[in-house]
Amino acid sequence: IICTVCMYPIGFFHRGDKNILNELFSNENIEENIDAWSKPSPGLNLLIFTTLKFILTILSITCPIPCGVFAPTFFLGAGFGRLFGYIMYLLFGIKYIGIYSIVGAVSVTSSVTHTISVAVIVFELNGQLSHMMPVLIGTVLAYAVG
């Protein structure tokens, strides 16, 4: 109930988890294509998304009821990565910001679950082997640090 009350008033949460993940992983600019992310600003919306996902993931993992760990941490990492990619886009004009979201999702999930197999799951999910080196480096570093 707490998750629903926190997430319902915010427009981009109405899009569903699959659509949100596709939008975070895309290399296209969020503010140009999707109205739910562009108002009031994409950076603020990404910050709200990441902060709410962080708080609600902590809440859901620490509750004494069975719930998943993989999907919430995957979305949390995707949000952190996309926010970092958006900051890099604003500062340096980097064009491909979707890769930051992919590496962030893999790194956070690998660190929390202490597995390296997350990289293989993302390779199958994404289908682009051009992202192999950043994903593997992020996975190994997160596994070593976590």
Side-chain angles (χ1 to χ4, degrees), residues 33-99:
N33 298 329
I34 300 138
D35 280 342
W37 289 99
S38 63
K39 295 176 181 153
S41 102
L44 179 65
N45 286 338
L46 284 169
L47 185 64
I48 290 170
F49 174 80
T50 306
T51 305
L52 271 178
K53 276 294 185 184
F54 183 72
I55 292 168
L56 296 175
T57 300
I58 291 171
L59 180 69
S60 69
I61 290 175
T62 57
C63 285
I65 56 174
C67 65
V69 172
F70 189 88
T73 56
F74 196 76
F75 279 94
L76 178 65
F80 274 131
R82 185 66 182 213
L83 181 61
F84 183 77
Y86 185 73
I87 292 169
M88 291 293 114
Y89 168 73
L90 291 177
L91 294 178
F92 304 112
I94 293 174
K95 186 176 178 183
Y96 301 107
I97 56 179
I99 184 66

